[in-house]
Amino acid sequence: MPVLPVLFVAVVVVVDLVGGAGMIWLPLLAAGPALAATTNGPRGVLYVGLLAAVLGATLGTRDGVPARELAAVLSALAAVTLASGLASALRGRRERVLAAVRSVAETAQHALLKPVPATVGPFQVAVRYSAAAAEARIGGDLYALIPTPYGVRLIVGDVRGKGLPAVGTAALVLGVFREAAYDEPDLRDVVDRIERSLARNLGSDDFVTALVAGYPRPGQLEIVNCGHAPPLLVRASGSVVAVEPTHPAPPLGLRALADQTPGLQVLPFADGDQLLLYTDGVTEARDHGREFYPLAEGLARHVSDEPARTLGALHDELLAYVGGRLHDDAALLLIRKPTAVEPAFPQQTIHGPIQRGQAV
């Protein structure tokens, strides 16, 4: 029911009846069907147009409007109604196409960024992801976390560029990672497999920043950083430190241009420790004053024993900081090693890209 357009027509009628102004108010009746086109289908537009025409003819006759002038007003009203009906039909068609695109994007999302369980191996896990292209719901950031014969392994990366080419590159990286993580005992060999695949398939200007991590044995975390933002390590005491690479390496796909190979960095990772991996869409988010979002400070404020709650609060603060919409894809992945005295965790699943404002 086109309530607002009908209400607008009714207001015009009441004003005309009270003021008896005749031709002064009658042309405003055309705004009724025009307004209906923004919220209703063609049928609703035609209903409002017909109602406005009947009331316009009645008021014109009552007010003694000359026949020629009244005919001009009604003709204009008919033309606006037909044009508004066409616009409404086109809007409906665009909405159906957009819904189909979103459906395909969501299918691609679940194929590319597979659901991450709330617990993987010895870790509690939480993921938050926002694509800059809200209509597509998917972008060039990537993440995966899988158990392997060599311990839990994970990757977070950021593909240069946007759109379908970036999504294709992300799919390539994740596919190679999932295979190599099961096959290669050495984490550096996993990275080498991804590098060789990208060297064969990427253009000369394309690359992927990535951080690959593994947990081969209790109390020890391995990291290989390929030009990616340093992860944030949260100790059980609550202190937050950035894990800067000891052997900086170029992004994946650019190794041939630099005489550097990624080094393996080993960190102690005890019970109660947490590690936050993220993409530059988080740290490069700016407020209205063009100041970057202070991720380390935000993490220190919201850190808790529940990774899902920590990332939920952090993500909400990030969106509030930028005014509600990110201008780049942003991914957050947090793992936590629970203490021995904590109870078992329920086996719930955290799904891939999460819509803004949706709770984990």
Side-chain angles (χ1 to χ4, degrees):
M1 179 63 181
V3 177
L4 185 60
V6 170
L7 182 61
F8 184 87
V9 171
V11 169
V12 174
V13 171
V14 170
V15 171
D16 184 89
L17 289 174
V18 173
M23 280 295 296
I24 295 178
W25 298 107
L26 291 184
L28 290 178
L29 292 172
L35 184 60
T38 64
T39 57
N40 297 92
R43 183 177 297 180
V45 173
L46 294 177
Y47 285 161
V48 175
L50 180 61
L51 175 64
V54 170
L55 292 175
T58 302
L59 291 175
T61 302
R62 170 187 174 276
D63 297 334
V65 176
R68 180 177 298 180
E69 295 180 6
L70 182 58
V73 170
L74 295 179
S75 297
L77 179 57
V80 171
T81 299
L82 293 176
S84 299
L86 178 61
S88 176
L90 293 176
R91 177 183 56 80
R93 181 179 179 182
R94 287 194 297 269
E95 289 178 349
R96 290 190 294 272
V97 170
L98 180 58
V101 170
R102 284 179 171 173
S103 177
V104 172
E106 288 177 351
T107 302
Q109 159 206 309
H110 289 294
L112 177 61
L113 301 176
K114 295 181 179 180
V116 177
T119 59
V120 178
F123 297 120
Q124 297 170 272
V125 184
V127 173
R128 299 289 296 202
Y129 178 83
S130 291
E135 293 79 8
R137 302 184 182 181
I138 195 168
D141 287 1
L142 59 97
Y143 61 83
L145 188 147
I146 55 176
T148 75
Y150 312 105
V152 174
R153 286 177 168 175
L154 58 103
I155 184 173
V156 168
D158 187 357
V159 179
R160 176 186 179 273
K162 301 182 184 299
L164 290 178
V167 174
T169 301
L172 174 64
V173 172
L174 289 174
V176 177
F177 169 76
R178 288 177 178 130
E179 288 295 324
Y182 277 96
D183 297 340
E184 304 292 348
D186 193 316
L187 196 64
R188 287 167 293 192
D189 292 335
V190 176
V191 176
D192 289 342
R193 289 257 303 257
I194 301 174
E195 175 68 33
R196 291 195 297 270
S197 180
L198 291 180
R200 292 192 300 267
N201 293 280
L202 289 189
S204 57
D205 295 332
D206 296 326
F207 60 86
V208 180
T209 67
L211 190 142
V212 183
Y215 190 73
R217 58 191 62 86
Q220 190 176 91
L221 195 67
E222 297 179 343
I223 293 177
V224 178
N225 193 329
C226 299
H228 199 72
L232 296 178
L233 179 63
V234 184
R235 293 300 184 189
S237 61
S239 63
V240 179
V241 294
V243 183
E244 299 289 346
T246 54
H247 303 284
L252 295 169
L254 297 181
R255 190 183 299 181
L257 304 179
D259 188 20
Q260 290 177 311
T261 57
L264 186 68
Q265 191 170 357
V266 180
L267 300 174
F269 199 72
D271 290 355
D273 288 349
Q274 305 186 49
L275 187 72
L276 176 66
L277 294 84
Y278 55 92
T279 58
D280 60 8
V282 178
T283 52
E284 293 182 0
R286 299 172 183 251
D287 61 8
H288 296 298
R290 309 301 296 168
E291 295 291 332
F292 291 113
Y293 176 68
L295 178 59
E297 297 175 13
L299 178 59
R301 279 193 298 271
H302 300 295
V303 67
S304 69
D305 292 342
E306 299 178 18
R309 186 174 67 183
T310 300
L311 284 198
L314 196 62
H315 188 262
D316 291 344
E317 182 178 278
L318 175 63
L319 291 181
Y321 187 84
V322 300
R325 180 178 180 180
L326 295 169
H327 297 288
D328 193 7
D329 305 328
L332 293 159
L333 188 152
L334 180 64
I335 63 172
R336 178 178 182 269
K337 179 67 169 62
T339 61
V341 298
E342 293 181 24
F345 306 101
Q347 290 292 330
Q348 63 188 67
T349 297
I350 302 170
H351 294 279
I354 299 173
Q355 304 310 307
R356 287 185 279 274
Q358 177 182 342
V360 177

